[in-house]
Amino acid sequence: QVQLVESGGGLVQAGGSLRLSCAASGRTFSRYAMAWFRQAPGKEREFVAAISWGGASTIYADSMKGRFTISRDNPKNTVYLQMNSLKPEDTAVYYCAAGHSSSMNERSYNYWGQGTQVTVSS
């Protein structure tokens, strides 16, 4: 199994950038597909991006394409979410998740971090 801890969130001005990190513990990290989800107050949890176990395949929500990039560094047991051109509507708690196959469905992931807050000001 995998334990996940997100970091890198904070306050940023609209148009700015942040890079989120998800540090994983466990010796089988490289065998897991990884994903980012987010949840804003009063809204459903939303898929952001996913990456396959080897990093060759990625999936993005339509609203994230061209702005967000998911990547992973398996030797460091870390997955990243580079967020550019941030908008106020990107404000949410961002969660890292691990599963056995990459998917847009949150039910595909059985391990979750506690989340990191991203706030984008106008």
Side-chain angles (χ1 to χ4, degrees), residues 2-6 22 34-39 45-47 93-99 104-115:
V2 177
Q3 294 178 339
L4 307 172
V5 180
E6 303 95 334
C22 175
M34 304 294 296
W36 290 94
F37 290 79
R38 69 185 186 185
Q39 187 168 28
R45 187 168 295 181
E46 177 186 26
F47 173 78
V93 177
Y94 284 71
Y95 297 92
C96 179
M104 298 178 69
N105 192 330
E106 66 181 71
R107 291 185 290 274
S108 297
Y109 304 93
N110 52 340
Y111 301 108
W112 293 81
Q114 295 300 306

Side-chain angles (χ1 to χ4, degrees), residues 7-8 25 30 33 47 51 63 67 70 89 94-95 104 113 118-119:
S7 63
S25 62
S30 63
F47 173 78
I51 188 166
S63 61
R67 298 193 301 124
I70 188 170
E89 52 262 45
Y94 284 71
Y95 297 92
M104 298 178 69
V118 172
T119 302

